[in-house]
Amino acid sequence: MSASKSRIEGLDLLRGIAIALVLIRHAWPEAIGTAGIVGVVSFFALSGYLITGLLMRDIRQNGRVRYGRFYRNRALRLVPPLVLALAFFAAYTLIVNPLDDRGDVARSVIVGLTYTMNIPFDHGSPALSHLWTLATEEQFYIVWPLLLALGVRWRKLRWLVIGAAVASLVVCGATIVLAAPSVGKVYTLPTSWAIAMIIGAAAKLGEARIERSLTPLRRTWAGALGLAGLLGLSLLPEAKGSPATYLILAPAIAILTVALIMQLKTWGVLPSAWLRPMLALGTISYAAYLWNYPIVMWLGERPFEPARAVLSIVLTIVAATVSWWAVEVPAQKWKERLDKRARLTGELATESAPVARQHHS
């Protein structure tokens, strides 16, 4: 189940682990309190790592960030599954209205499409409240390429990362002070989780140095420590109202995720067939995240009965699989055609340049 031959199966496996934690947390909220936070922060760290890699490759090859191409590819990856999920949400709510929120459909869809779910105002239906994570990532995608380009131009990448990390923690701390004693109000704010993406980005920028320090044994131990740490932290009680969740736990989860990335990024192909189901889940993880929370809400009040909890996961996987084949694979193929056309155009321009110069002279 792959739309691109360039996908690293080890990183899709990490996505599978992260989304599994989110699905289990939504299905059994009383059993695994922090699993959702661990899963989401792992996604944030992985996003920072991967996006920074794409941007730095663009800068090295072209001398700049091609913003048009970058945002086009982000849109082709993220928007089609989101539109499909929002269209179903609107249709199901207008017809069935299980949460009695039919009047909030228009507002909810607009907030979802504009990636503003993490900004404090009336967002409409609670079934889409989970989209705050997408908003946080999209806002990072707007700011980080600009900062990275400036860091490269000024040759201050290290200081850029340090400054961004410090600034994110300071701003997060300030919002916690302002929200006190209701610290949980900062949970969905755009300033609360930026540190995770910055840690992932820092890992990519310092990857060569990290690699030099890793023997095969150290890499294995780092991966094992990362996985054990993430699973262990998932068992903690929910603590959205604690400042430590944002200032200590989030950076710790991101660092453990980076340790796991260093191992899994070497797995171009998984070493065991037993890992294939988790790989498949990771492949459809984005759509699974989009569909899971509305499905959980539509199935009824929590805490779930075991059968209803399992049903929520089964329905999520079915919906995500349909989304993968219906919109994600075609969008990925479209992106690959656009990239191929751009490469051919660039090659033709390069080949014709000497001829043009000779004719002009």
Side-chain angles (χ1 to χ4, degrees):
M1 186 184 291
S2 176
S4 174
K5 295 179 180 178
S6 63
R7 295 181 76 104
I8 297 173
E9 291 190 352
L11 297 184
D12 275 334
L13 180 68
L14 176 56
R15 292 184 179 97
I17 295 169
I19 193 61
L21 292 174
V22 173
L23 299 185
I24 293 170
R25 168 64 178 84
H26 286 165
W28 291 280
E30 287 75 20
I32 307 181
T34 313
I37 292 176
V38 172
V40 166
V41 173
S42 293
F43 275 122
F44 284 158
L46 181 60
S47 292
Y49 173 85
L50 293 175
I51 290 300
T52 301
L54 291 174
L55 294 170
M56 289 303 297
R57 187 181 308 121
D58 210 15
I59 292 172
R60 286 195 298 268
Q61 294 177 353
N62 301 283
R64 60 186 177 87
V65 174
R66 293 173 293 174
Y67 294 102
R69 178 179 181 273
F70 174 75
Y71 291 117
R72 179 204 74 194
N73 287 349
R74 291 297 88 204
L76 286 174
R77 173 70 185 96
L78 300 174
V79 173
L82 176 63
V83 169
L84 179 63
L86 290 176
F88 186 89
F89 157 80
Y92 190 73
T93 300
L94 291 173
I95 296 170
V96 181
N97 198 24
L99 301 179
D100 194 26
D101 57 353
R102 185 177 287 145
D104 293 329
V105 166
R107 181 191 299 118
S108 303
V109 170
I110 290 171
V111 170
L113 288 173
T114 55
Y115 294 100
T116 51
M117 194 67 72
N118 61 348
I119 299 174
F121 60 84
D122 183 6
H123 301 128
S125 173
L128 297 182
S129 60
H130 66 305
L131 297 184
W132 69 267
T133 59
L134 273 64
T136 297
E137 284 203 3
E138 285 303 305
Q139 290 152 13
F140 179 78
Y141 295 159
I142 292 172
V143 174
W144 188 245
L146 300 173
L147 291 179
L148 202 60
L150 289 175
V152 171
R153 178 178 298 179
W154 296 338
R155 299 183 180 180
K156 300 290 184 180
L157 270 178
R158 179 181 299 179
W159 290 109
L160 167 75
V161 173
I162 294 172
V166 171
S168 68
L169 290 174
V170 169
V171 172
C172 180
T175 61
I176 290 172
V177 171
L178 292 173
S182 302
V183 175
K185 291 181 178 179
V186 310
Y187 181 69
T188 60
L189 292 184
T191 53
S192 297
W193 306 100
I195 185 61
M197 289 176 278
I198 294 170
I199 288 173
K204 188 63 183 181
L205 293 172
E207 192 168 36
R209 180 172 297 181
I210 295 172
E211 287 289 344
R212 286 195 294 270
S213 68
L214 288 177
T215 63
L217 181 59
R218 286 178 179 175
R219 187 189 300 275
T220 300
W221 276 107
L225 175 63
L227 179 59
L230 293 176
L231 296 179
L233 292 177
S234 298
L235 301 176
L236 294 175
E238 182 180 79
K240 293 180 182 179
S242 170
T245 296
Y246 310 95
L247 301 176
I248 299 174
L249 182 62
I253 295 169
I255 291 170
L256 290 170
T257 301
V258 166
L260 189 52
I261 288 172
M262 291 300 115
Q263 171 66 30
L264 295 183
K265 74 186 183 73
T266 65
W267 292 4
V269 177
L270 295 185
S272 171
W274 291 99
L275 298 173
R276 307 301 299 182
M278 192 62 72
L279 170 66
L281 181 60
T283 303
I284 61 171
S285 59
Y286 175 54
Y289 184 81
L290 289 174
W291 287 86
N292 179 242
Y293 197 65
I295 288 172
V296 168
M297 295 292 289
W298 291 334
L299 284 176
E301 294 294 330
R302 295 178 288 177
F304 269 173
E305 301 169 356
R308 195 177 285 180
V310 172
L311 179 61
S312 73
I313 295 176
V314 172
L315 291 177
T316 295
I317 292 173
V318 170
T321 302
V322 171
S323 173
W324 172 258
W325 291 111
V327 296
E328 293 183 63
V329 170
Q332 180 66 21
K333 290 180 178 178
W334 186 16
K335 169 188 170 297
E336 291 172 355
R337 287 196 297 268
L338 291 174
D339 286 344
K340 183 178 180 180
R341 184 183 305 170
R343 285 194 299 270
L344 290 175
T345 302
E347 291 171 1
L348 289 174
T350 301
E351 291 173 0
S352 63
V355 176
R357 285 195 298 270
Q358 184 179 6
H359 177 73
H360 180 71
S361 62

